[in-house]
């Protein structure tokens, strides 16, 4: 096991996409650990509501900025999360999605190089496309349509990974590439379009639950707190004592418990006590049939990391959050 940086040295940290779902939880944790955080976001899918409790905090700063343009700040670490994650939103302006992934990565890598800062990329299980290998290991190169509706996101994220590894090889940049599998929890946008938020909102409003396809496609759902713990541990892996480069990844981060979409719908109905009915709608193009992370690499490199919160418990916490929003 690679050792984790134990010392609580206060870092100055940039989080791009910090007003989004994952970014805002990450910032909460970084601030709670005593760090200074600069949150950069263009508020495309993120919201000031997600960070409003931090606005007056002395260690927090918000900058309204689009990562496709260069940014000049002084930090020791960068978490690059800026990019819409829901198919509905990333397909809304696919050219901007590719620009965010590619130009955003170039700008953040350039910043990291100038500052000699460590930089973590929020990559995705989508780099495996509609996988022919199951569960997915990091060695698998994927099965991705380069010209389809999901390509702006999938290929954009793949190109970002290429850029990260080229900066690592060419400029000895200290990088971390994390491939995130479907993560859910409080602060997902109610109109986000992703399956967990859609089903919970529909169930709470007693509306029909929209299953795309026959519901036999699978996903493996990770609760946000487990993902953030993996992020922080991965970012803070200590460099080897022989002066060699740190472990760049890529590593899969997610919960390996796999469910069909129909099972998820039934669980949400049961937990909400909803009278919603299941309805079946066409499956979107290139929708992956099966997805489950092999997390052996994460278990090997991180410090006793394993997802602690199982789906039923995580759904309860997420339902509680959406219930308080008083949806209409
Ligand atoms: P999200 O949509 O809630 O957050 C993304 C944030 O990025 C938003 O606040 C948005 O306003 C911001 N953003 C988008 N384009 C930007 C730009 N050009 N400049 C500055 N900010 C911009 O999504 P999320 O679920 O929090 O995802 C965060 C990151 O994690 C994304 O990079 C996503 O690809 C990755 N990821 C998430 C999941 C998941 O299941 N949640 C899975 C795989 C990968
Ligand atoms: N899905 C669904 N109903 C919805 C939203 C999504 O059946 O209202 C399906 C979608 O087709 C996919 C799965 O749920 O098979 C996960 O979709 P999501 O958009 O959350 O994530 P991704 O496809 O990017 O993993």
């Amino acid at each position: 096991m690679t050792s984790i940086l134990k010392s609580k040295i206060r870092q100055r940290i940039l989080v791009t996409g910090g007003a989004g779902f994952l970014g805002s939880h990450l910032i909460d944790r970084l601030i709670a650990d005593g760090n200074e955080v600069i949150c950069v976001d263009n508020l495309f899918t993120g919201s000031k509501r997600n960070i409003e409790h931090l606005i007056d905090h002395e260690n927090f700063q918000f900058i309204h900025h689009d990562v496709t343009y260069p940014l000049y700040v002084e930090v020791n670490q960068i978490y690059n999360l800026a990019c819409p994650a829901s198919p509905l939103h990333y397909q809304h302006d696919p050219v901007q999605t590719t620009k965010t992934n590619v130009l955003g990565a170039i700008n953040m890598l350039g910043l990291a190089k100038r500052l000699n800062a460590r930089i973590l990329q929020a990559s995705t299980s989508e780099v495996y496309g509609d996988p022919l290998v199951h569960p997915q290991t990091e060695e698998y190169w994927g099965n991705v349509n380069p010209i389809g509706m999901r390509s702006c996101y999938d290929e954009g994220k793949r190109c970002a990974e290429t850029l990260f590894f080229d900066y690592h090889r060419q400029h000895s940049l200290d990088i971390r590439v994390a491939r995130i599998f479907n993560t859910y929890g409080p602060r997902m946008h109610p109109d986000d379009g992703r399956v967990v938020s859609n089903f919970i909102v529909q169930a709470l409003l007693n509306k029909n639950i929209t299953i795309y396809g026959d519901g036999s496609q699978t996903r493996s759902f990770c609760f946000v707190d487990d993902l953030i713990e993996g992020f922080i541990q991965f970012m803070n892996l200590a460099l080897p004592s022989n002066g060699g480069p740190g472990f760049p990844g890529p590593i899969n981060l997610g919960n390996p418990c796999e469910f069909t979409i129909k099972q998820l719908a039934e669980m949400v109905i049961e937990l909400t006590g909803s009278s919603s009915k299941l309805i079946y709608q066409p499956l979107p193009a290139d929708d992956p049939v099966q997805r489950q992370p092999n997390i052996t690499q994460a278990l090997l490199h991180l410090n006793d990391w394993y997802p602690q919160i199982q789906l039923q418990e995580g759904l309860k916490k997420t339902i509680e959050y959406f219930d308080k929003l008083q949806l209409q």
Side-chain angles (χ1 to χ4, degrees):
M1 189 191 11
T2 320
S3 65
I4 308 281
L5 197 64
K6 288 274 185 247
S7 59
K8 282 266 175 190
I9 302 166
R10 179 171 168 158
Q11 305 275 358
R12 200 168 149 78
I13 302 172
L14 170 65
V15 178
T16 76
F21 160 52
L22 293 182
S24 61
H25 284 278
L26 173 64
I27 293 175
D28 280 349
R29 170 70 189 273
L30 294 172
I31 295 270
D33 286 350
N35 299 291
E36 266 183 69
V37 176
I38 300 176
C39 167
V40 160
D41 204 296
N42 69 352
L43 301 180
F44 173 49
T45 51
S47 159
K48 277 200 176 162
R49 234 178 312 122
N50 289 337
I51 48 166
E52 68 183 354
H53 56 290
L54 295 169
I55 291 295
D56 293 328
H57 197 291
E58 57 179 354
N59 289 340
F60 179 79
Q61 187 189 348
F62 175 71
I63 303 177
H64 191 293
H65 177 83
D66 183 327
V67 294
T68 62
Y69 297 94
L71 177 72
Y72 300 95
V73 292
E74 305 295 320
V75 291
N76 323 101
Q77 288 187 342
I78 302 171
Y79 289 85
N80 187 36
L81 273 67
C83 180
S86 131
L88 188 73
H89 289 133
Y90 70 65
Q91 288 168 20
H92 167 75
D93 185 349
V95 172
Q96 173 67 9
T97 300
T98 302
K99 283 186 184 172
T100 295
N101 279 314
V102 178
L103 297 179
I106 290 171
N107 287 327
M108 292 310 119
L109 286 161
L111 179 66
K113 180 173 168 241
R114 176 174 73 78
L115 300 172
N116 199 20
R118 187 175 290 185
I119 180 166
L120 181 147
Q121 167 68 355
S123 191
T124 167
S125 52
E126 291 282 331
V127 300
Y128 302 120
D130 191 3
L132 305 176
V133 165
H134 190 79
Q136 292 79 56
T137 58
E138 291 84 352
E139 293 78 44
Y140 178 49
W141 290 354
N143 176 37
V144 177
N145 176 356
I147 56 168
M149 302 294 285
R150 294 174 88 101
S151 311
C152 57
Y153 184 76
D154 298 10
E155 296 290 19
K157 289 284 187 182
R158 285 166 69 95
C159 185
E161 285 200 9
T162 306
L163 285 160
F164 267 69
F165 275 85
D166 282 335
Y167 267 78
H168 179 60
R169 282 184 291 258
Q170 199 174 330
H171 301 298
S172 305
L173 197 66
D174 192 4
I175 62 157
R176 302 282 183 271
V177 173
R179 292 180 178 158
I180 307 165
F181 283 64
N182 297 68
T183 301
Y184 69 98
R187 297 194 195 145
M188 291 184 90
H189 197 288
D191 300 324
D192 180 275
R194 280 179 277 186
V195 69
V196 174
S197 44
N198 267 13
F199 285 3
I200 292 178
V201 170
Q202 289 163 345
L204 288 174
L205 297 175
N206 293 309
K207 290 186 173 166
N208 290 334
I209 304 254
T210 53
I211 293 188
Y212 303 159
D214 63 5
S216 64
Q217 71 272 33
T218 70
R219 296 292 187 272
S220 306
F221 298 101
C222 184
F223 189 67
V224 59
D225 293 0
D226 286 327
L227 194 276
I228 298 303
E229 178 62 29
F231 256 22
I232 303 256
Q233 286 201 25
F234 186 29
M235 177 62 121
N236 292 299
L237 284 177
L239 293 174
S241 50
N242 65 8
F247 174 64
I251 58 167
N252 292 334
L253 288 180
N255 188 326
C257 294
E258 186 182 5
F259 294 86
T260 67
I261 294 305
K262 186 155 183 245
Q263 283 174 322
L264 175 74
E266 287 164 350
M267 205 182 278
V268 169
I269 289 180
E270 190 192 317
L271 292 173
T272 50
S274 171
S275 59
S276 295
K277 300 277 170 276
L278 306 186
I279 59 161
Y280 293 85
Q281 296 184 347
L283 191 67
D286 299 328
D287 199 284
V289 175
Q290 257 189 325
R291 183 181 290 154
Q292 183 191 33
N294 176 318
I295 57 169
T296 310
Q297 285 297 317
L299 301 186
L300 191 70
H301 288 278
L302 306 184
N303 186 22
D304 289 335
W305 178 81
Y306 195 88
Q308 300 296 313
I309 299 166
Q310 294 315 315
L311 186 55
Q312 211 172 23
E313 189 189 344
L315 284 178
K316 279 188 196 157
K317 291 173 193 271
T318 314
I319 290 167
E320 214 173 283
Y321 168 80
F322 279 110
D323 210 13
K324 287 198 190 122
L325 292 183
Q326 297 184 331
L327 305 157
Q328 292 177 10

